[in-house]
Amino acid sequence: MKIDFRFFIKLSLVLVYLVIIAGSVVRMTGSGMGCPDWPKCFGYLIPPTDRSQLDWKSYHQYKRGQIIIENDVLLVANSDFITSEEFTEKNWFIYTKHDYAEFNVGKTYTEYINRLLGALAGLVTLVMLLMSIRYFRSRSILFLLSLVVVLLMGFQGWLGKVVVDSNLLPWKVSIHMIVALVIVFFLVNLLAKTSSLKASFIPSGKPWINRLLLVGFILLLIQIGLGLQVRQVVDVQINEGYLLGDITLKRNTPKAYFQHAGLGFAFLLLHLILLYQFLKAGNIPRIINIIILLIGLEVILGMILYHFNFPFSSQPLHLLIASLLFGFYSFLLLNKSNECQSEQNVSR
């Protein structure tokens, strides 16, 4: 029995969302530099578990690329060698891409898990691409979309290196997030094109609801853009050493926050109007219920973040729900624009 192509689309989507969650946890815990190099961590495939492992040792074998911390500086082995009784500078060169030279086992393994999830997501999307080859002639769009996803995953991996090398510049972190959402969009497109769901659920005589949904999606994109600006303010506080509980938007509240919050309530109101129209028609599609529930949760979490100084897990949840909202909304619009295809054509 052939493995379902849609299974790998869904698995890829789940893993990408897990990477988004992990990335958010990394930022809120200040773990982004837990692994100061890329793609390895302190030059190891499996990172150290204790600070002493990064100290120079006599009569110890080092491999090229492995890192030690000496006088608060990262030193990289320039070849494979065994140390003598005394430290020899010629065996090492200074890591110059940034000057971050700290070790915290919790932060290191938080970042390491984030990278493992990213690698696993990349591997699964590659399998998805290989499976899509069977549709190259009959439905080439499935192969092309799968190829775009794999290329974007590769670009995202390279971008992760750029982010680490820059010591987590906030605007580069934001680009990293935007690329993740673009990947979600293409995976959702694949899901919509292989879906057997019927696209027509708009109440008869109310075609203007289609236009409201498009306006809602545009507002969502604006909300995400404003949210990224607010997040950059938070990232600056994290980079300045503020800990969870001390991070707040009440300290020099950015203008983008008030725009983000105000537009959030307008976004909710728009969808309550849509909900009312579906109630009048006597049929509320499940996806509309999900979207409105996610919007309500986003508004609540936004207020919690502002008034209670970013309690742990609230910011990752806020980001996850926004990403899920983007995914469901994309599926809603893409499924309406695609010609319905039978799921049986692309499975088993």
Side-chain angles (χ1 to χ4, degrees), residues 62 158 166 183 274 327:
Y62 287 96
W158 172 81
S166 72
I183 292 171
L274 282 169

Side-chain angles (χ1 to χ4, degrees), residues 16 21 33 39 41-42 51 72 101 108 114 134 146 177 186 194 201 209 216 233 236 247 258 260 288 293 297 311 327:
V16 169
I21 296 171
M33 296 303 291
C41 189
F42 288 100
R51 171 64 179 80
D72 295 324
T108 292
N114 178 42
R134 75 173 91 158
S146 300
M177 179 63 201
F186 279 101
T194 57
F201 61 84
I209 288 181
V233 175
V236 168
I247 298 171
F258 296 109
H260 185 61
I288 295 295
L293 174 62
L297 290 173

